[in-house]
Amino acid sequence: AGLILPPFLFGGLWAGQRRRERFALDSTLRRRHHALRQVRKGLKEIGQIPGSNGETSQVASRCLREYIGDKLGLEGSALTPAEVQQELRYRGVDEEWVEKTHDLLQELELSQYGGEKVAATEAVRRVEEVVKGLEGQVGR
């Protein structure tokens, strides 16, 4: 065991160092890798907002747009629902998820600016559903 363990230990340390170097050099790779963690963190923020108001929709929309931006290597906060739809189609995402994402972003945007308010729990559930559907398809 004393002779076998050192080469495996060296290999593990070498692989870890290469991964850290790749992440340090490529911010897009780092953003893509941490996108899911960031969206979950943002969705927890929604639970702390009282009631269902425009702020709930704003945070949910921002979380989803930033997730998509991170996965695609774009500035997520600047994306409109139409741009998201176009980018997802261009990247070969299933049409069902393209439409669900577009519809949710539009609904959240309308809710922000005077439309029917979306409850916090409903917003979180729907964003999680879309993220789960997109996770395996975006940023491959």
Side-chain angles (χ1 to χ4, degrees):
L3 293 174
I4 295 174
L5 187 60
F8 284 111
L9 185 61
F10 174 77
L13 291 173
W14 178 76
Q17 181 64 28
R18 279 191 42 95
R19 183 173 186 261
R20 278 190 296 279
E21 288 172 2
R22 268 197 350 249
F23 273 37
L25 294 175
D26 191 354
S27 65
T28 304
L29 179 65
R30 187 174 49 250
R31 284 176 58 200
R32 193 176 314 142
H33 181 74
H34 295 297
L36 187 59
R37 185 177 312 148
Q38 290 299 107
V39 77
R40 286 186 177 148
K41 189 176 175 181
L43 291 175
K44 283 182 185 176
E45 192 179 309
I46 293 174
Q48 299 170 356
I49 300 171
S52 61
N53 53 30
E55 189 179 352
T56 299
S57 300
Q58 183 180 13
V59 174
S61 176
R62 185 189 74 223
C63 288
L64 183 55
R65 285 183 289 120
E66 286 179 355
Y67 167 79
I68 292 168
D70 287 348
K71 284 295 202 175
L72 300 178
L74 303 169
E75 182 56 47
S77 60
L79 292 172
T80 65
E83 290 171 336
V84 167
Q85 186 179 36
Q86 180 183 358
E87 284 293 329
L88 291 177
R89 279 189 181 137
Y90 176 74
R91 308 290 172 122
V93 174
D94 291 341
E95 190 62 30
E96 172 191 1
W97 291 109
V98 171
E99 289 305 317
K100 280 186 178 185
T101 305
H102 178 263
D103 293 346
L104 178 57
L105 283 171
Q106 270 192 324
E107 186 177 328
L108 291 171
E109 204 168 271
L110 287 172
S111 176
Q112 273 178 259
Y113 300 110
E116 186 178 326
K117 302 301 180 196
V118 178
T121 55
E122 180 66 13
V124 169
R125 184 191 65 74
R126 291 185 61 200
V127 169
E128 284 177 341
E129 176 188 350
V130 168
V131 166
K132 190 181 288 186
L134 293 175
E135 183 61 25
Q137 298 182 46
V138 178
R140 288 184 276 205

